[in-house]
Amino acid sequence: MKKILFTCIFSLCFLFPAFADVSLLHNVEQSYQSMKNFKAEFNQELFHRESNTTQKRTGSIEFMPSTYIFWETKAPDRELIVCNEKEVWNYLPDEELAYRYSPKVLETSHAILNVITGQAKLEDNFEMELLSKDDSTHTAEFILYPIEANPQMVEVTLTINTTDNRIQKIIVLDFFGNLNTIEFTKFHANISLDKKNFTLKLPQGIEIEDHFND
């Protein structure tokens, strides 16, 4: 189950086709790419269709260009995703288990972390509809469909804040009807962050599954 959740985190990107209001999303992209760094807090809900259960989590993400990412989710299940220029770790403290990957996993067009940090190339992977634009709440909602089949991502609903040019909410629907919802509650750009934060020191006795060369 935990491995599936990690896969969900690495399974999202979006595109701006000409038929949609592309300027809104381009503004978001440019806003993220102009940042020196950021730190954000979020609420996450993971709906499992087969069991009809929802797991609620809270967490935070820190980012420095171009591959420095620290993602942490807390109770009921703590999880860390730590990325730097040398490696990517997914650490599950409660299970005493860690997965190691090459930074190449962030180069895929379906990496949600690339979208959240503004590093994704948003050109060729999805068709998109503008669902709504609400000037009173300063939000716009888009629905995205992958051009290439991907069981981890059948449909994506994306809400952006048109005033701050920030991603406000992402909902990912997979082939099995499961939903991964991430909504950002706080966002701080261009703050003091240290690259030392983007390394993972594992306690002794942790089982490591190494997928670096996969």
Side-chain angles (χ1 to χ4, degrees):
M1 179 66 176
K2 299 291 185 60
K3 186 68 177 297
I4 293 174
L5 301 186
F6 174 70
T7 303
C8 290
I9 294 301
F10 282 87
S11 63
L12 172 62
C13 90
F14 56 84
L15 149 82
F16 323 136
F19 62 82
D21 191 346
V22 298
S23 63
L24 295 176
L25 291 176
H26 278 301
N27 290 342
V28 173
E29 180 186 10
Q30 292 173 3
S31 174
Y32 278 78
Q33 291 181 351
S34 68
M35 295 176 194
K36 295 179 181 179
N37 59 56
F38 72 78
K39 181 176 182 177
E41 297 179 13
F42 60 83
N43 294 323
Q44 184 178 24
E45 290 190 0
L46 296 158
F47 172 72
H48 188 254
R49 183 179 180 182
E50 184 175 356
S51 63
N52 195 32
T53 58
T54 300
Q55 183 188 85
K56 295 184 178 181
R57 309 166 92 187
T58 60
S60 63
I61 179 173
E62 297 181 17
F63 167 75
M64 295 177 65
S66 57
T67 57
Y68 292 90
I69 301 169
F70 186 94
W71 170 286
E72 180 179 15
T73 54
K74 302 177 182 178
D77 297 300
R78 189 163 178 252
E79 180 176 10
L80 297 175
I81 299 173
V82 182
C83 311
N84 55 51
E85 59 188 0
K86 296 181 179 180
E87 56 194 2
V88 174
W89 286 96
N90 177 216
Y91 174 40
L92 307 171
D94 294 342
E95 297 187 11
E96 299 185 339
L97 176 63
Y99 300 90
R100 179 174 177 258
Y101 301 89
S102 164
K104 291 181 180 180
V105 299
L106 296 176
E107 296 175 4
T108 173
S109 63
H110 299 95
I112 187 173
L113 291 179
N114 281 352
V115 177
I116 293 172
T117 60
Q119 302 302 298
K121 295 181 180 179
L122 313 174
E123 299 297 334
D124 305 317
N125 301 290
F126 286 80
E127 294 182 351
M128 183 182 68
E129 268 181 69
L130 175 64
L131 292 180
S132 64
K133 185 174 181 292
D134 190 333
D135 292 333
S136 64
T137 60
H138 308 288
T139 58
E141 188 175 62
F142 298 84
I143 191 166
L144 316 167
Y145 302 99
I147 293 174
E148 294 184 7
N150 185 332
Q152 298 296 334
M153 179 178 45
V154 174
E155 181 181 294
V156 177
T157 304
L158 179 72
T159 303
I160 65 170
N161 185 304
T162 57
T163 299
D164 297 334
N165 292 323
R166 301 280 192 268
I167 298 170
Q168 185 167 307
K169 186 177 182 179
I170 296 172
I171 304 174
V172 181
L173 171 69
D174 71 13
F175 177 79
F176 305 99
N178 304 313
L179 292 172
N180 180 14
T181 302
I182 300 172
E183 184 168 11
F184 293 95
T185 56
K186 295 181 181 179
F187 193 100
H188 305 283
N190 303 319
I191 60 176
S192 178
L193 293 179
D194 191 333
K195 284 187 178 180
K196 293 180 181 178
N197 296 341
F198 301 92
T199 57
L200 181 64
K201 295 181 179 179
L202 293 171
Q204 291 186 349
I206 297 298
E207 180 184 352
I208 297 175
E209 290 194 14
D210 198 332
H211 299 276
F212 192 90
N213 295 316
D214 289 1

